[in-house]
Amino acid sequence: MRHLMSPLDFGVDELDKLLDLANDIEANPEKYAHSCDGKKLATCFYEPSTRTRLSFEAAMLNLGGSVLGFHSADSSSAAKGESVSDTIRVISCYADICAMRHPKEGAALVASQKSTIPVINAGDGGHQHPTQTLTDLLTIRSLKGRLDNITIGLCGDLKFGRTVHSLINAMIRYENVRFVLISPEELRIPDYVRDDVLKANGVDFKEVEKLEDAMAELDVLYMTRVQRERFFNEEDYVRLKDFYVLTKEKMELAKEDMLVLHPLPRVNEISVEVDDDPRACYFKQAQYGVYVRMALILTLLGLAE
Ligand code: NCD
């Protein structure tokens, strides 16, 4: 049985197959409409979510399966003090596969150790968010035609942003990928990513504070929200929350074919006036998230071939 905890759980070739499957699902959705007839997906969300939970549910429904679950810790037995390990043992009796989001780093991993069904990490604290990364890879590969030879700018909350940590881990496996890490001093990438992932693998990267200084060289700009819920005090959040705002003027500095991605939800970091720019791909990205989760469910349930 297979779980998904980190984007590295799939080798590059396996990942290619998964993304090919997602593209086939996009092109021929009717082919897959009954692939999961009779199967159930449990979504166990201890932290708020719109896209991740609903895209998982949409994915399973598109495959002909059904869904059950809870969408906050308060509405589950966690409120009574039940451990994640006990909850997953019970969920294993009710469902065939589980997507779990939790505010604590490592929670999904703990669950997977006691589970008798595949567990998917749908975000664990500030740590990893592998299905967002699958979404990001599918978006970049589909719209750019490649995952290598890319300069990608990651902008915003690089400290607490789990989507960024997962994406870096996944992208360093492709040839000639360069990173421009754009953040205020306080929200720089954690040492364990800079040293143990980027430097340890000899990856080309630089850290800058001004978005304007990086714009012209980017093939992909990945914007992120300042992660309010992970700050220790409100004052720091308020000071940093509007540090970056991507505007039409700043877009003028970018390449004609640069992609703007954002895992969403957006707060103020992309001005709504940018939404009409053909390079703004964050809503398309949300659509790709459904296809890739369909491909993932099929793969983990052993139904992909
Ligand atoms: C991200 C997350 O939950 O980490 N959202 C998502 O899953 N699409 C990004 C965020 O919350 O800022």
Side-chain angles (χ1 to χ4, degrees):
M1 191 184 40
R2 227 171 150 181
H3 307 287
L4 178 68
M5 294 298 123
S6 134
L8 301 184
D9 294 351
F10 286 112
V12 172
D13 292 345
E14 282 181 305
L15 209 61
D16 262 346
K17 269 176 79 181
L18 187 106
L19 301 183
D20 289 344
L21 177 58
N23 284 138
D24 193 52
I25 290 170
E26 176 188 10
N28 307 292
E30 67 294 337
K31 215 167 105 186
Y32 300 91
H34 296 287
S35 302
C36 284
D37 279 357
K39 300 281 184 204
K40 292 195 237 25
L41 164 78
T43 49
C44 300
F45 276 58
Y46 296 84
E47 225 191 30
S49 165
T50 303
R51 260 150 306 276
T52 305
R53 186 169 61 85
L54 296 186
S55 64
F56 262 116
E57 296 188 359
M60 191 47 145
L61 296 172
N62 289 346
L63 292 167
S66 32
V67 297
L68 65 167
F70 54 85
H71 54 77
S72 75
D74 295 347
S75 62
S76 78
S77 285
K80 299 180 185 167
E82 186 172 53
S83 68
V84 163
S85 304
D86 280 2
T87 303
I88 194 67
R89 288 174 89 147
V90 174
I91 301 285
S92 296
C93 308
Y94 304 155
D96 301 286
I97 184 165
C98 171
M100 177 177 286
R101 168 170 290 191
H102 201 286
K104 287 217 175 96
E105 285 78 3
L109 182 64
V110 169
S112 71
Q113 288 159 351
K114 285 284 185 289
S115 180
T116 56
I117 58 173
V119 176
I120 300 166
N121 177 9
D124 60 331
H127 187 219
Q128 298 269 2
H129 192 347
T131 62
Q132 182 62 48
T133 297
L134 298 179
T135 303
D136 302 337
L137 297 180
L138 179 65
T139 309
I140 297 171
R141 203 187 74 160
S142 302
L143 300 179
K144 276 250 168 269
R146 64 180 195 277
L147 287 167
D148 51 9
N149 298 306
I150 281 186
T151 298
I152 174 162
L154 299 159
C155 177
D157 188 345
L158 309 189
K159 181 177 180 187
F160 297 116
R162 56 194 173 195
T163 58
V164 167
H165 306 158
S166 282
L167 187 57
I168 290 177
N169 270 288
M171 290 288 292
I172 61 162
R173 301 193 290 182
Y174 299 94
E175 289 292 310
N176 194 25
V177 172
R178 290 182 60 235
F179 295 96
V180 184
L181 305 172
I182 309 153
S183 74
E185 179 67 28
E186 294 89 333
L187 297 178
R188 283 171 67 185
I189 200 89
D191 292 343
Y192 76 87
V193 179
R194 182 187 307 100
D195 297 338
D196 304 348
V197 181
L198 293 168
K199 285 190 183 160
N201 289 287
V203 177
D204 186 353
F205 75 97
K206 65 178 174 185
E207 298 185 82
V208 301
E209 199 171 88
K210 284 187 77 178
L211 178 54
E212 293 86 326
D213 293 345
M215 272 317 246
E217 60 182 308
L218 304 180
D219 300 308
V220 175
L221 171 60
Y222 194 91
M223 294 295 294
T224 63
R225 166 183 77 90
V226 176
Q227 305 273 301
R228 179 182 203 158
E229 65 278 30
R230 310 213 193 280
F231 272 74
F232 294 110
N233 66 68
E234 182 73 7
E235 230 170 80
D236 285 349
Y237 169 71
V238 170
R239 186 164 47 80
L240 294 167
K241 72 181 170 60
D242 294 324
F243 203 91
Y244 298 108
V245 181
L246 181 63
T247 56
K248 261 188 168 161
E249 290 71 52
K250 288 187 193 129
M251 285 299 286
E252 279 167 22
L253 306 170
K255 291 185 186 170
E256 296 261 297
D257 63 348
M258 184 190 76
L259 304 180
V260 184
L261 303 186
H262 190 310
L264 303 176
R266 145 175 73 183
V267 188
N268 286 324
E269 57 279 359
I270 303 179
S271 165
V272 290
E273 67 188 19
V274 175
D275 295 358
D276 297 330
D277 190 305
R279 295 168 289 184
C281 299
Y282 25 93
F283 293 112
K284 257 187 223 161
Q285 191 181 354
Q287 176 67 65
Y288 282 119
V290 179
Y291 304 135
V292 93
R293 288 183 175 94
M294 290 171 74
L296 178 66
I297 291 170
L298 290 174
T299 303
L300 294 184
L301 288 178
L303 302 169
E305 235 68 52

